[in-house]
Amino acid sequence: MSGASYFKHAKNFVAKNTTFNTYVSGIDALQFLYEHAATGAMHDSDERYPPPMCHPGTREIVIVRIKDWYGFQTMPDKPIMWVHAPAGYGKTAIAGTISKLLEEMEGLDFSPLGATFHFWRTSPERNSPARFIITIAYQLAMSIPKLTPHIENAVKRNPMILRKTLEVQLMKLIVEPFKALGELGDMPNRLVIVDGLDECINSDQECRVDRQYAEDQEKVQIRILDLIHNLQSHHLPLSFLILSRPEAWIKQHIQSAPFERVVEAVDLYALGDHVKDTETYIRAELSRIAARDREDGTPDRGDEAWPENVVQAFVQRTEGHILYASTVIRHIDNPYGDPRKLLESILYNSLDRDVDLAHSSSFSSLNALYMHILQSCPKSNRPIMVELSWTV
């Protein structure tokens, strides 16, 4: 980025005290931050619409656990909560549900949701740590009005701060503005949600060999953890909810002595009844599809209730993986096909019927499901499908 781009919104700016970067007036500091933030990583961004949410009546135990830990009026005993589980257990949906619940809380004269950042592997803006601190700082300026002028001043003093290391940005854009407020004991506690830490892969760096790529991925995720640990060490009125897969390096770092004292770890895999939650979701979605078909006046597509043996077979096949269930629902929710036949084809004729789930990876069944869906494509459309798949 050229130096000129930093000042494209500046008008009649002046350098005071003979030092160019001491203070630059005339720039819209918040707009400046916004333009350099990863706006797509925010929970309410258009890029993430519609945001993943927990289906009503599911994941209630973990949501209550998070709310009880956070408290929002007073700081929790441990300012960081790490919720971890393999892919497919709804971590991002939990993050979205917590964000919505906090935003909709009534009777408060402050916003308990301080900031959010949703990492995403395939988004260049969201799979790198480069904009992490800038994005958090911008949202804190929005959610804590008292903090706004101090963050603005930090940017005006040195617009080049947005090109400094993340550690310097953390101090100048977050820690020092908070300290400038003076006594923080009476300030309500805000929650910062960091979702998909394992999706931070540092794509800004050109990929070398696979091993080097994996090492870089570990380093950058550990760096984000260290930034969060640094922030909490200043005893600011902030709590941090981190959601990720339990990657070995993440788990090892969080279990180290400096983190263990300030982190409450929650194993989502071991918390709650995932099969029951998945069944609640499946029954609601199958009812919706059946109701849609009745409205269409098509008696041969879900006009009658779904057979109970089919529903139970579907529930058992998911093994509590909400990702498996939602993938099947998207496949059968086809107004141009027969949802019941599509579902029965998956349950009774799909490629994963011989998979020994007790001795396979967590996603052997899901991989077989994808294969079945791809093979169900009409033969006349397969050349186009193959071409598009290769393009992707």
Side-chain angles (χ1 to χ4, degrees):
M1 181 180 297
S2 66
S5 65
Y6 278 102
F7 306 104
K8 61 182 179 180
H9 295 287
K11 296 180 180 179
N12 303 318
F13 62 82
V14 296
K16 297 182 180 181
N17 298 330
T18 70
T19 303
F20 183 73
N21 280 331
T22 300
Y23 193 91
V24 180
S25 64
I27 70 171
D28 186 337
L30 291 182
Q31 178 66 21
F32 191 47
L33 269 180
Y34 175 83
E35 291 177 355
H36 291 80
T39 55
M42 302 177 191
H43 69 282
D44 54 359
S45 70
D46 185 63
E47 180 179 322
R48 299 184 67 252
Y49 184 84
M53 303 286 291
C54 295
H55 188 83
T58 66
R59 301 298 187 256
E60 292 180 333
I61 294 177
V62 69
I63 290 171
V64 170
R65 176 79 174 270
I66 293 170
K67 289 173 63 178
D68 289 347
W69 158 79
Y70 168 50
F72 75 81
Q73 292 287 10
T74 58
M75 289 292 294
D77 293 335
K78 294 185 176 182
I80 301 173
M81 174 176 277
W82 177 44
V83 176
H84 60 89
Y89 281 88
K91 297 182 295 296
T92 295
I94 290 170
T97 299
I98 292 295
S99 296
K100 188 172 187 291
L101 288 173
L102 293 182
E103 284 194 320
E104 294 179 349
M105 290 187 70
E106 298 179 351
L108 300 178
D109 58 358
F110 69 96
S111 172
L113 184 63
T116 58
F117 197 104
H118 293 265
F119 286 104
W120 187 246
R121 185 176 298 267
T122 59
S123 169
E125 187 182 69
R126 296 165 54 194
N127 66 13
S128 163
R131 305 190 189 198
F132 177 66
I133 296 298
I134 296 171
T135 306
I136 298 298
Y138 173 78
Q139 292 174 89
L140 290 175
M142 295 292 98
S143 60
I144 309 176
K146 290 182 180 179
L147 201 62
T148 305
H150 300 287
I151 293 178
E152 287 181 314
N153 288 339
V155 175
K156 289 180 179 180
R157 287 192 195 100
N158 183 9
M160 291 296 291
I161 189 65
L162 305 191
R163 299 291 288 179
K164 301 295 185 180
T165 67
L166 299 179
E167 289 73 16
V168 171
Q169 289 178 9
L170 181 146
M171 290 300 300
K172 297 297 182 182
L173 294 177
I174 300 179
V175 175
E176 291 182 6
F178 265 109
K179 298 294 186 181
L181 294 175
E183 179 56 46
L184 299 174
D186 296 331
M187 179 175 285
N189 181 37
R190 264 76 172 191
L191 184 63
V192 176
I193 299 177
V194 180
D195 174 49
L197 175 62
D198 52 284
E199 298 283 322
C200 182
I201 59 175
N202 206 19
S203 69
D204 284 352
Q205 306 297 322
E206 291 296 328
C207 180
R208 280 74 49 185
V209 297
D210 288 344
R211 180 173 179 178
Q212 182 65 48
Y213 169 79
E215 290 174 350
D216 287 348
Q217 180 178 250
E218 293 180 24
K219 289 177 182 177
V220 74
Q221 292 170 17
I222 295 303
R223 189 181 185 190
I224 294 294
L225 284 176
D226 286 340
L227 287 168
I228 294 172
H229 188 274
N230 189 346
L231 262 178
Q232 70 79 33
S233 71
H234 292 278
H235 305 291
L236 307 177
L238 299 174
S239 296
F240 304 88
L241 174 63
I242 305 171
L243 303 100
S244 78
R245 301 181 193 182
E247 305 292 11
W249 53 92
I250 295 177
K251 186 175 182 179
Q252 182 179 15
H253 204 61
I254 286 181
Q255 289 179 341
S256 65
F259 275 85
E260 195 173 28
R261 291 189 292 267
V262 296
V263 176
E264 181 173 338
V266 175
D267 183 353
L268 179 59
Y269 182 81
L271 188 66
D273 189 334
H274 300 291
V275 174
K276 182 180 178 180
D277 284 351
T278 304
E279 181 175 357
T280 299
Y281 167 77
I282 286 173
R283 290 186 180 277
E285 288 298 291
L286 292 182
S287 296
R288 176 185 61 80
I289 293 173
R292 181 204 66 194
D293 287 343
R294 283 194 295 270
E295 291 175 359
D296 289 346
T298 312
D300 61 338
R301 292 209 319 267
D303 181 62
E304 301 173 1
W306 294 81
E308 184 62 21
N309 65 311
V310 173
V311 176
Q312 287 298 326
F314 185 7
V315 172
Q316 292 174 11
R317 181 63 64 88
T318 68
E319 293 195 319
H321 281 83
I322 200 74
L323 177 59
Y324 186 104
S326 62
T327 301
V328 172
I329 291 295
R330 286 195 297 272
H331 176 58
I332 70 173
D333 191 9
N334 181 358
Y336 304 105
D338 186 334
R340 189 173 299 168
K341 288 182 178 179
L342 289 171
L343 178 56
E344 290 176 350
S345 175
I346 288 173
L347 297 179
Y348 305 121
N349 303 308
S350 64
L351 296 176
D352 63 341
R353 61 185 177 273
D354 296 324
V355 172
D356 183 357
L357 295 178
H359 300 88
S360 66
S361 70
S362 301
F363 292 98
S364 296
S365 182
L366 187 60
N367 291 335
L369 170 63
Y370 290 146
M371 184 66 72
H372 175 82
I373 291 173
L374 290 173
Q375 291 190 343
S376 69
C377 177
K379 290 183 179 180
S380 60
N381 295 337
R382 285 185 184 178
I384 296 176
M385 182 194 71
V386 171
E387 183 178 349
L388 288 174
S389 298
W390 275 111
T391 301
V392 171

